[in-house]
């Protein structure tokens, strides 16, 4: 497992902690791999009831490490993780403190119980980066919070703060920062006391028919690959590394 993903198993809960705080917990290919391996372990082990995902430091996750988008570093690790979390067959609890950007937010659409500190801020600035939504967020985000709110997030890249996320039904509850992890852990442990079959069946029914989610993810993956190879993404990534504002031209726009 990557050092930047800490794995801790206790009380039937597998905790996966994103721990790269100096980079705001941005995810590298190795970290995606470690998260995917953690999910596979939890799925295969009957002694594990649920997974708890948290972040070290003041940010939950600043999204994909931008350097991972560069041609030399590109792998399918992110896509494999996203597919794994979308298909995962046990409850996932998340504890979110501070920033949750890109996949830091879209992974939450595949979690069951999301607890947020008052400073949590969710954003999906794919379009700003010359990219398109992922993880079926173009389908699940409007379903979860309504088209108008989702459009502000996905078209303009506007963040949702904890209060707004709570009102919109994006999170389960807001919990004080110093109690966040203990609260999320206690809820995960509470799941272990539930009758396992009823719990699994209830989750299956809650999630419903997943064929539309899978189909949308495939459509997004194709559009994402095209966008990633395009001039807009190239300019957005260059601007990020050069710590300047990107400049997008309308050349070629319809
Ligand atoms: N990829 C790579 N590095 C990242 C990163 C990312 N997604 N997010 C943060 N970092 C790095 C910064 O480059 C910086 O590195 P440095 O100290 O070597 O310069 C470090 O993490 C701390 O980030 P910084 O920007 O100084 O913190 P901040 O509090 O001012 O801003 C963010 C935090 C998350 C708002 C800002 O870093 C950001 O916009 N990151 C990109 C988020 C993003 O677009 N993710 C992809 C979504 S698809």
């Amino acid at each position: 497992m990557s050092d930047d993903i800490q794995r801790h198993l206790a009380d039937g809960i597998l905790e996966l902690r994103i721990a790269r705080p100096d980079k705001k917990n941005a995810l590298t290919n190795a970290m995606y791999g470690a998260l995917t391996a953690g999910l596979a372990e939890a799925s295969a082990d009957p002694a594990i009831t649920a997974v708890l995902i948290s972040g070290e430091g003041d940010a939950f996750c600043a999204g994909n490490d931008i350097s991972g988008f560069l041609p030399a570093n590109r792998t399918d690790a992110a896509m494999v993780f996203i597919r794994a979390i979308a298909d995962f067959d046990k409850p996932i609890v998340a504890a979110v403190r501070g920033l949750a950007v890109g996949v830091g937010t879209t992974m939450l659409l595949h979690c069951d119980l999301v607890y947020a500190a008052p400073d949590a801020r969710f954003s999906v600035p794919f379009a700003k980066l010359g990219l398109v939504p992922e993880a079926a967020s173009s389908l699940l985000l409007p379903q979860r919070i309504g088209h108008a709110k989702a459009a502000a997030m996905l078209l303009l890249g506007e963040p949702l703060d904890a209060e707004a996320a709570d009102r919109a039904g994006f999170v389960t509850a807001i919990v004080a920062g110093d109690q966040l992890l203990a609260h999320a852990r206690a809820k995960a442990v509470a799941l272990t006391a539930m009758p396992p079959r009823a719990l699994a069946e209830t989750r299956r029914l809650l999630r419903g028919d997943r064929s539309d989610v899978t189909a949308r993810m495939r459509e997004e993956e194709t559009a994402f690959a095209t966008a990633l190879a395009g001039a807009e993404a190239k300019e957005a990534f260059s601007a990020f590394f050069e710590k300047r504002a990107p400049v997008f031209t309308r050349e070629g726009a319809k």
Side-chain angles (χ1 to χ4, degrees):
M1 186 154 289
S2 155
D3 290 346
D4 296 328
I5 300 293
Q6 295 169 359
R7 171 200 169 282
H8 180 69
L9 177 59
D11 306 320
I13 306 303
L14 182 68
E15 183 172 345
L16 298 173
R17 175 177 284 245
I18 308 170
R20 196 187 175 213
D22 55 324
K23 296 289 181 186
K24 304 284 174 188
N25 292 337
L27 295 176
T28 60
N29 290 325
M31 292 164 75
Y32 282 119
L35 288 169
T36 304
L39 293 177
E41 177 194 353
S43 182
D45 186 346
I48 297 176
T49 297
V51 168
L52 170 60
I53 302 179
S54 64
E56 179 81 33
D58 63 1
F60 175 66
C61 173
N64 198 87
D65 189 298
I66 302 279
S67 63
F69 285 136
L70 303 180
N73 302 329
R74 252 176 245 165
T75 73
D76 61 1
M79 189 187 72
V80 171
F81 165 68
I82 286 167
R83 288 186 181 186
I85 197 168
D87 291 343
F88 188 61
D89 57 357
K90 293 181 180 179
I92 307 178
V93 182
V96 181
R97 179 196 310 279
L99 292 169
V101 186
V103 70
T105 286
T106 61
M107 73 166 85
L108 301 172
L109 292 164
H110 301 281
C111 295
D112 299 281
L113 298 167
V114 179
Y115 298 99
D119 69 351
R121 251 169 106 80
F122 306 90
S123 64
V124 276
F126 300 110
K128 274 186 173 177
L129 289 169
L131 299 173
V132 298
E134 57 168 25
S137 56
S138 62
L139 176 73
L140 295 173
L141 194 61
Q143 277 179 1
R144 198 70 54 88
I145 69 172
H147 180 88
K149 300 281 184 208
M153 292 183 76
L154 284 169
L155 295 178
L156 290 169
E158 287 182 0
L160 202 63
D161 66 22
E163 284 288 340
D166 192 31
R167 276 198 305 275
F170 186 73
V171 300
T172 307
I174 299 177
V175 180
D178 59 351
Q179 290 156 35
L180 177 70
L181 199 53
H183 184 89
R185 205 176 272 141
K187 294 293 181 184
V189 170
L191 293 170
T192 65
M194 301 293 292
R197 233 168 251 159
L199 184 68
E201 195 59 1
T202 300
R203 183 175 189 265
R204 185 184 69 73
L205 290 162
L206 247 177
R207 284 155 57 88
D209 179 3
R210 301 288 287 176
S211 54
D212 54 348
V213 173
T214 306
R216 183 63 65 92
M217 266 172 38
R218 298 293 178 273
E219 199 181 337
E220 289 174 350
E221 283 165 14
T222 303
F224 200 97
T226 303
L228 201 49
E232 293 178 348
K234 193 169 173 228
E235 165 59 9
F237 303 151
S238 300
F240 178 79
F241 290 118
E242 290 160 22
K243 298 190 188 283
R244 61 169 173 82
V247 181
F248 299 112
T249 66
R250 301 201 62 78
E251 270 165 43
K254 288 188 185 147

